[in-house]
Amino acid sequence: MDFNRENFDKLLAQNTDQQVEIRLLHEKVRYLMNKMFGRSSEKMTPDQMELAFEELREVQDALDEATEKLEGLDRKEESRRGKRKPLKERIPDDLPTERVVIIPDEVKAQPEQYKKIGEETLEELDVTPAQYFRRIIIREKYIKVDDRSAAPVIAPAPKRLIPNSYASAGLIRHIILSKYCDHMPLYRQEMTLKYRHDIEVSRKTMGNWMYLIADWLTLIYEALRTEIRQSGYMQIDETFIKYQDPKKDYCPNGYLWAYRSPAAGVLFEWFPSRAAECLDPMLGGYEGYIQTDGYAAYPSWLNRPEHQTENAAIIHAACWAHTRRNFVEVSGNSNSRKVVKLIAKLYRIETQLRDNPELDRMSHRQEHAVPVLERIKEILDREQARQLPKSSFGKAINYALDRWPELNLYLDHGTLEIDNNGVENAIRPTAIGKKNFLFFGSPNSGQTSAVIYSLVETCRKLGINPSAYLKELFDALPDMNQSEAVEWTPSRWSTAQS
């Protein structure tokens, strides 16, 4: 059989392509096996933590950092959890107190023969279950005794959150806190009222109350939007929630878009879409920084011709947490583990800044984070030519290098965070809620929840008791005009309280 060079080259090329495909398939299988049977957290696995003394410099750095930590530790703080706080520090001073005095039976029988010499106390935390009651408001009528022709006198009816309804402000607040803070769907609240308290309030009625209250709260919601836009820094993310559409025989995906300002709070917007046009209400005319993940809708919106002039002042920063995840998912590659370890150093620098707020964030990052970033960039540039573009490591490298300027923006701006985790944490309560209520009841009900979630979650992020905030807000709402609404955002309300 004669040697055919053309056929040999063709078979050789085909064999090379198959070897590449086999490598990619092996990586996909390892990735899927790790997702199905591996740890669910994003912490490094034992395999990733084995650095095997790859570089003497890295080992020395680790030893230096360990030495610094040991020298700075106080022996009383050896435990990471720390000493448990006493009961007095864990229970507020203004909590209602009930005193129960127990007298021995012998003293009760013959009190004249005993003298008190001291006492021993025991403290416990107790609770009284929620108690519903009927409030009857009586407006008495009067007429003048000496002028029977005069019109009767009666006090004006108090203004109500929901006119012609038996729902009080306290009941509305309780339903909101139960659904949007404790993640209890309306149908569960309906069952609780019926079987624990023998009260019948349908979920449809409660849903109508939520819609009417959200309409009231829209004044505060729009004031919160203005505060977040004026802060000059927004972290943006979106999460899907299914909703019922009467025109379809299934529940399609809708989206809550979240905008977080560390100083002002969080605002949610509801859209039955994930398209870039959903950014129009919040980013139109905005000037400042935005920080997002790698979703293509954000650069797509910013790069549109009609937005170029308007959004020249918008600076787009990227997220190191999303970049890190790509390298964590790479298995069996020592260089990927190096990158993960170096990113961990970047986060230790951020921990130092949080623990020492007196430090200048920008100068501290320039001094300590820049050398680490240079080492990461060196590895990525070297490995980019060696890795297959479609491999997991190749994709992680390309993701990082494509966004390298955006990933480094936080170095030059002390207000920026290293990642987008702040807004993702703000979204987390909505994720817990949707596991319980499964879907929104209609395409329009999503915005009702967006309004209420915005105020409740802003309270949580700013350390405000949402119950206390909503109580004062609901008392003021019936007499509030539009010009007063700006003073009732959670941040301004908290400032007024202090």
Side-chain angles (χ1 to χ4, degrees):
M1 181 177 181
D2 296 334
F3 177 75
N4 189 320
R5 183 69 186 184
E6 182 179 355
N7 288 339
F8 176 78
D9 292 340
K10 187 182 296 184
L11 290 172
L12 184 61
Q14 183 179 4
N15 181 67
T16 303
D17 292 341
Q18 289 176 345
Q19 291 295 328
V20 170
E21 185 176 1
I22 289 172
R23 286 180 56 189
L24 294 175
L25 290 174
H26 275 295
E27 284 193 1
K28 291 180 179 179
V29 169
R30 283 198 297 269
Y31 172 76
L32 291 174
M33 292 290 289
N34 185 56
K35 283 293 184 183
M36 292 178 64
F37 305 110
R39 297 180 179 181
S40 60
S41 70
E42 290 184 4
K43 296 180 181 179
M44 289 187 293
T45 63
D47 180 58
Q48 290 168 327
M49 296 175 65
E50 292 177 0
L51 301 175
F53 302 99
E54 292 164 349
E55 295 182 6
L56 180 61
R57 180 174 58 181
E58 293 183 357
V59 175
Q60 187 62 46
D61 288 346
L63 291 173
D64 292 342
E65 291 171 2
T67 302
E68 291 175 1
K69 289 182 179 179
L70 287 173
E71 291 176 351
L73 279 176
D74 187 345
R75 291 184 177 181
K76 293 182 180 180
E77 298 179 356
E78 291 181 358
S79 172
R80 188 174 182 180
R81 183 176 178 181
K83 187 177 179 180
R84 189 178 185 183
K85 293 181 180 179
L87 185 63
K88 291 183 178 179
E89 294 184 19
R90 287 180 281 137
I91 298 178
D93 293 335
D94 59 351
L95 202 67
T97 302
E98 177 186 355
R99 295 182 62 87
V100 178
V101 179
I102 303 177
I103 301 175
D105 293 338
E106 300 87 343
V107 177
K108 289 181 180 179
Q110 297 176 324
E112 68 281 357
Q113 295 186 13
Y114 291 90
K115 178 183 178 181
K116 180 179 177 181
I117 60 172
E119 63 184 19
E120 294 184 6
T121 60
L122 173 66
E123 292 189 28
E124 62 182 12
L125 184 64
D126 202 351
V127 60
T128 301
Q131 182 179 7
Y132 295 85
F133 61 93
R134 180 189 290 108
R135 177 184 292 115
I136 301 176
I137 300 174
I138 301 173
R139 296 187 296 140
E140 297 180 338
K141 288 184 180 181
Y142 295 88
I143 61 170
K144 282 190 174 182
V145 177
D146 56 353
D147 187 2
R148 299 288 181 142
S149 61
V153 177
I154 186 171
K159 293 185 178 180
R160 304 174 59 81
L161 278 176
I162 304 177
N164 303 319
S165 170
Y166 60 88
S168 68
L171 179 61
I172 296 297
R173 186 175 77 253
H174 178 74
I175 295 173
I176 287 177
L177 295 175
S178 297
K179 179 175 181 180
Y180 295 99
C181 291
D182 303 333
H183 320 296
M184 182 181 290
L186 296 182
Y187 75 88
R188 290 190 189 174
Q189 295 191 50
E190 178 185 2
M191 295 297 102
T192 300
L193 285 169
K194 183 175 181 180
Y195 294 111
R196 293 186 188 173
H197 304 279
D198 200 23
I199 300 173
E200 293 190 12
V201 182
S202 70
R203 71 194 76 173
K204 181 178 179 180
T205 299
M206 289 188 280
N208 290 336
W209 291 344
M210 295 299 99
Y211 172 79
L212 294 171
I213 289 302
D215 189 50
W216 269 108
L217 296 177
T218 300
L219 290 173
I220 319 297
Y221 175 80
E222 293 301 327
L224 176 61
R225 181 198 301 275
T226 302
E227 276 191 5
I228 293 176
R229 282 168 53 89
Q230 290 177 346
S231 70
Y233 173 37
M234 290 192 295
Q235 297 176 329
I236 310 175
D237 202 1
E238 75 288 334
T239 183
F240 82 92
I241 295 183
K242 294 184 178 297
Y243 67 95
Q244 287 185 323
D245 190 340
K247 298 179 181 179
K248 299 178 181 178
D249 57 357
Y250 65 96
C251 289
N253 285 340
Y255 292 86
L256 280 175
W257 292 71
Y259 303 85
R260 174 184 178 259
S261 165
V266 184
L267 184 129
F268 292 91
E269 281 194 307
W270 162 259
F271 291 96
S273 166
R274 202 187 180 199
E277 290 81 3
C278 301
L279 297 168
D280 289 343
M282 202 65 178
L283 295 188
Y286 169 72
E287 296 182 2
Y289 302 97
I290 63 172
Q291 190 170 36
T292 72
D293 56 19
Y295 179 41
Y298 304 111
S300 173
W301 192 92
L302 293 172
N303 293 331
R304 287 180 180 175
E306 63 270 23
H307 296 151
Q308 286 298 304
T309 302
E310 180 183 359
N311 296 283
I314 293 183
I315 302 174
H316 188 193
C319 171
W320 267 107
H322 287 83
T323 304
R324 175 187 174 276
R325 291 172 194 173
N326 295 328
F327 292 101
V328 169
E329 291 172 354
V330 178
S331 59
N333 190 295
S334 61
N335 287 303
S336 177
R337 295 198 296 270
K338 287 182 183 179
V339 173
V340 173
K341 181 175 181 292
L342 290 171
I343 294 175
K345 289 187 177 182
L346 295 178
Y347 275 86
R348 284 198 291 271
I349 295 170
E350 296 304 305
T351 300
Q352 293 172 1
L353 290 173
R354 284 194 298 271
D355 294 341
N356 301 278
E358 71 279 0
L359 294 175
D360 182 77
R361 288 163 66 93
M362 188 173 70
S363 60
H364 190 80
R365 286 168 173 171
Q366 289 288 340
E367 180 181 356
H368 297 90
V370 168
V372 179
L373 288 164
E374 289 175 350
R375 292 169 63 185
I376 294 176
K377 183 69 160 54
E378 180 184 348
I379 295 174
L380 299 183
D381 288 338
R382 184 182 68 241
E383 294 298 319
Q384 186 178 31
R386 301 178 180 177
Q387 303 297 325
L388 296 171
K390 293 186 178 181
S391 66
S392 56
F393 193 22
K395 290 179 180 179
I397 292 172
N398 292 331
Y399 182 95
L401 292 179
D402 289 346
R403 296 165 177 80
W404 192 252
E406 291 82 4
L407 287 169
N408 285 266
L409 270 176
Y410 83 103
L411 296 174
D412 302 319
H413 305 282
T415 57
L416 298 185
E417 300 292 341
I418 191 174
D419 55 33
N420 217 33
N421 285 349
V423 70
E424 290 197 348
N425 290 337
I427 286 177
R428 193 165 296 167
T430 68
I432 298 173
K434 72 182 178 183
K435 288 182 179 179
N436 291 338
F437 56 72
L438 302 180
F439 51 77
F440 290 140
S442 69
N444 296 326
S445 63
Q447 186 59 24
T448 296
S449 291
V451 171
I452 300 176
Y453 266 133
S454 297
L455 297 182
V456 169
E457 184 59 22
T458 294
C459 286
R460 187 177 76 91
K461 300 301 287 186
L462 298 182
I464 298 171
N465 183 347
S467 180
Y469 168 72
L470 290 177
K471 184 181 186 305
E472 290 200 18
L473 176 60
F474 286 173
D475 289 342
L477 264 179
D479 296 312
M480 187 182 302
N481 56 48
Q482 191 167 0
S483 61
E484 297 173 336
V486 295
E487 302 298 329
W488 281 93
T489 60
S491 62
R492 293 204 177 190
W493 178 83
S494 178
T495 302
Q497 301 300 307
S498 58

